[in-house]
Amino acid sequence: MSAKAIVTYLSLGILPILSAEAQQAVPDAKYDEPHRLQYHFSPPKGWMNDPNGMVYYQGEYHLFYQHYPDKNVWGPMHWGHAISKNLTHWKNLPIGLYPDSLGYIFSGSAVVDWKNTSGFGKNNKPPLVAMFTYHNMAGEKAGAIDFQTQGIAYSNDNGRTWIKYAQNPVIKNPGIRDFRDPKVTWDEQHQQWLVTLAVQDHAEIWTSKNLKDWKLACSFGKEWGNHGGVWECPDFFQLSTPEGKKWVLIININPGAPNGGSGTQYFLGDFDGKNFILDESIKPYIQNNQGLWMDYGRDNYAGVTWSDVPQKDGRRILIGWMSNWQYAQKVPTEAWRSAATLPRALSLQKTTQGYRLISEPVKELQALRVPQKSFVLSQAKTLTSESWTPKLGFKPTLSELEIEFEKPRSGKVSLVFSNTKGEKYSIGYDSESNQFFSDRSQAGDHSFSKEFFEKIDIAPRFTENNTVKLHLFVDVASAELFADNGKTVMTDIFFPSENFNQFSIQSTEAGVKVKTLKIWSLKKTW
């Protein structure tokens, strides 16, 4: 049954019953269209935005996502579904959650209810429980403000099929227009469930013992962080430090990001079971509409983390939506729109300014390297001219690059990817401003949106180390930079008329010393 048919039924107040064939159908996808990413997740067809319902269970990473299967623009929201055993190769599964009479299925999360606190489990196996926002479009169009509520669903077959709770919604709307995006977390210390909600210009934390009955514990944020737009897609979790665990609150915001449009800020503190207490050390950096940012590129939004990754793994892994609401519905793709970022492992590292959130590509990505197609600089090289083109022996269309160079006295060092059409993408470091930059001004088509290129994106450097480290992943239409071991991150998309297949290092002054350079061609995963 198509999404259009479902919406027709809903308009008549009828709940559609899907056939077994419809529940199991996964649309065909070629994954070879122009601009289709080759080692990132993207939907088989149609529209995609926020990652949802991310949970690890019995060897599978579940990735649900905001999805409209019938068109390549935003529409009636479903939860698309894919799974992976290694965070690199994904298998598309049937749509997980369809709209119903309570509304579209907006963003949310999922957990393993190990202790069966909900009572949804069967045969001594814990259920998977998803929590999501119902968005009643009819109510919104009628001018109501209470059209967003929170519902739950559960699965007893490893997330393949879901049963919506008969007494939804479990959290009713208190009379607030933006009241959404529940992120569920188990609070081990206080033996309770937490759900963090985005509420216009702040976050709310609610508590429960059974995932069905919820009580408001606290609100946070009206006076802290960036308020250039609506707060969305929160996450709330703990990370370890040598001084003990800290709670991390992630808040996505649209608009208000450092380089324009959609972005992700974060806060650090403690949680006493009822209240989130902000760290004193970060208060000077998040006052007066300022924020701490996870990614300074234009295209990492709505990122949230997987729940229930095994303790022996110990990682908190995040994935985001690789686009920006300024132009997401206009980018020049047809069969599908949007993709996910690479998964990133999050950690806290102490700096001279206090603890900061570090993002690094997950180690599983190393399995994509092609040993026969790699380049390793045998010894340090001093650039004697403004441009050096290493003889790679392969095309860097899908590639991973690691480079270390001495901080130049002045000028820029650029990593330049280009094609035979004269298009190029440049990313690198500017020593005079002590900033990283990402320049897609000549990287292909940007006629579809005046916001797509307004200026060169910039990002601060957070270390005084004399060695600059860049770790870069390039796919056919994206670049993700992890600089200085993940202290600064930039994610950007672009749309060249043909794939970038040439690489050079350019410097505005001679004498820059390249200490190490490693480049790998990467395997396709689709």
Side-chain angles (χ1 to χ4, degrees), residues 89-103:
H89 293 75
W90 293 92
K91 178 182 179 182
N92 290 309
L93 292 182
I95 288 171
L97 294 173
Y98 284 83
D100 62 34
S101 59
L102 294 179

Side-chain angles (χ1 to χ4, degrees), residues 2-299:
S2 72
K4 291 179 181 177
I6 292 173
V7 173
T8 300
Y9 275 101
L10 293 177
S11 68
L12 299 174
I14 302 172
L15 288 176
I17 300 176
L18 301 180
S19 67
E21 291 79 11
Q23 292 179 20
Q24 296 304 314
V26 178
D28 293 332
K30 295 180 179 180
Y31 283 90
D32 61 359
E33 305 95 336
H35 311 309
R36 173 77 85 160
L37 300 183
Q38 295 299 296
Y39 61 88
H40 290 74
F41 176 79
S42 59
K45 71 166 189 173
W47 167 265
M48 164 186 164
N49 56 290
D50 309 352
N52 296 154
M54 293 154 54
V55 60
Y56 179 88
Y57 185 59
Q58 293 193 346
E60 295 177 336
Y61 292 91
H62 290 263
L63 172 60
F64 297 88
Y65 54 93
Q66 290 287 277
H67 184 41
Y68 183 33
D70 287 347
K71 291 186 178 180
N72 63 1
V73 292
W74 191 94
M77 285 291 98
H78 304 54
W79 272 22
H81 191 195
I83 56 170
S84 175
K85 293 183 180 296
N86 56 14
L87 292 169
T88 59
H89 293 75
W90 293 92
K91 178 182 179 182
N92 290 309
L93 292 182
I95 288 171
L97 294 173
Y98 284 83
D100 62 34
S101 59
L102 294 179
Y104 297 171
I105 310 298
F106 271 25
S107 289
S109 54
V111 292
V112 183
D113 184 9
W114 292 104
K115 299 180 181 180
N116 195 24
T117 62
S118 62
F120 294 143
K122 286 185 177 181
N123 302 320
N124 295 317
K125 291 184 178 180
L128 301 184
V129 179
M131 192 170 189
F132 50 88
T133 294
Y134 271 120
H135 184 97
N136 188 310
M137 188 59 74
E140 180 184 15
K141 290 181 177 179
I145 62 172
D146 59 351
F147 50 81
Q148 292 183 339
T149 59
Q150 318 312 317
I152 59 175
Y154 61 93
S155 173
N156 297 120
D157 59 359
N158 295 5
R160 268 52 179 184
T161 59
W162 293 81
I163 301 170
K164 292 171 182 169
Y165 183 45
Q167 297 181 45
N168 277 336
V170 294
I171 301 180
K172 296 181 179 180
N173 190 297
I176 301 173
R177 179 179 177 84
D178 297 298
F179 184 69
R180 57 177 180 264
D181 309 337
K183 186 61 167 72
V184 180
T185 305
W186 173 249
D187 176 9
E188 178 66 24
Q189 181 181 356
H190 303 101
Q191 292 292 296
Q192 61 183 350
W193 293 104
L194 310 176
V195 68
T196 309
L197 291 169
V199 185
Q200 290 183 336
D201 61 352
H202 64 283
E204 290 183 351
I205 299 174
W206 295 58
T207 61
S208 174
K209 294 296 184 181
N210 60 9
L211 291 166
K212 296 181 284 190
D213 302 300
W214 293 91
K215 181 180 180 181
L216 176 62
C218 69
S219 63
F220 168 83
K222 287 187 177 182
E223 70 278 29
W224 297 109
N226 187 286
H227 290 274
V230 175
W231 282 25
E232 296 185 310
C233 300
D235 202 346
F236 194 47
F237 54 86
Q238 286 182 298
L239 288 177
S240 296
T241 78
E243 301 169 14
K245 292 184 177 181
K246 288 185 177 292
W247 283 88
V248 180
L249 174 63
I250 288 176
I251 296 291
N252 289 271
I253 182 171
N254 178 59
N259 284 297
S262 314
T264 306
Q265 59 183 327
Y266 68 91
F267 305 87
L268 305 178
D270 194 12
F271 183 69
D272 64 5
K274 291 185 178 180
N275 296 291
F276 177 59
I277 302 100
L278 195 63
D279 267 9
E280 290 293 328
S281 64
I282 71 166
K283 287 184 177 180
Y285 304 98
I286 57 172
Q287 299 181 89
N288 303 318
N289 213 34
Q290 298 299 308
L292 296 175
W293 300 96
M294 285 189 60
D295 194 313
Y296 286 83
R298 301 288 302 282
D299 297 303

Side-chain angles (χ1 to χ4, degrees), residues 465-484:
N465 196 308
N466 194 49
T467 298
V468 180
K469 297 182 179 180
L470 306 181
H471 190 180
L472 181 68
F473 289 80
V474 175
D475 207 331
V476 295
S478 69
E480 291 162 273
L481 173 67
F482 304 86
D484 294 325

Side-chain angles (χ1 to χ4, degrees), residues 307-490:
S307 71
D308 296 282
V309 175
Q311 288 186 355
K312 64 179 181 180
D313 185 311
R315 293 180 297 173
R316 178 60 63 165
I317 303 170
L318 176 139
I319 200 168
W321 173 44
M322 195 153 54
S323 198
N324 190 307
W325 277 116
Q326 287 186 325
Y327 44 76
Q329 299 189 84
K330 304 174 184 177
V331 298
T333 62
E334 295 182 5
W336 89 105
R337 273 211 176 104
S338 298
T341 69
L342 292 175
R344 296 116 188 260
L346 305 182
S347 62
L348 289 175
Q349 187 174 120
K350 196 163 192 178
T351 71
T352 56
Q353 299 174 340
Y355 281 100
R356 292 294 183 268
L357 194 61
I358 304 300
S359 301
E360 296 181 278
V362 294
K363 60 188 178 183
E364 287 87 343
L365 295 168
Q366 296 177 17
L368 300 183
R369 296 171 179 172
V370 182
Q372 299 82 2
K373 294 183 178 181
S374 61
F375 174 91
V376 179
L377 186 65
S378 59
Q379 59 183 13
K381 179 179 177 64
T382 299
L383 302 184
T384 58
S385 63
E386 294 181 352
S387 181
W388 173 46
T389 302
K391 295 181 179 180
L392 302 182
F394 58 91
K395 295 179 179 179
T397 303
L398 315 177
S399 59
E400 176 187 0
L401 179 150
E402 293 181 354
I403 186 173
E404 298 181 6
F405 55 87
E406 289 186 357
K407 181 180 177 180
R409 293 186 299 272
S410 63
K412 297 180 180 180
V413 177
S414 305
L415 309 179
V416 181
F417 293 81
S418 58
N419 60 26
T420 60
K421 301 290 187 180
E423 299 165 334
K424 65 179 182 179
Y425 170 72
S426 303
I427 189 166
Y429 172 70
D430 184 340
S431 63
E432 295 180 11
S433 63
N434 195 32
Q435 293 176 325
F436 300 100
F437 62 87
S438 172
D439 181 359
R440 60 186 181 188
S441 61
Q442 302 177 60
D445 183 17
H446 54 79
S447 62
F448 53 86
S449 167
K450 64 181 180 64
E451 290 88 4
F452 186 77
F453 180 75
E454 296 178 294
K455 62 182 180 63
I456 296 172
D457 296 343
I458 56 174
R461 190 173 189 227
F462 294 107
T463 177
E464 295 301 320
N465 196 308
N466 194 49
T467 298
V468 180
K469 297 182 179 180
L470 306 181
H471 190 180
L472 181 68
F473 289 80
V474 175
D475 207 331
V476 295
S478 69
E480 291 162 273
L481 173 67
F482 304 86
D484 294 325
N485 299 317
K487 292 183 178 66
T488 301
V489 181
M490 301 185 80

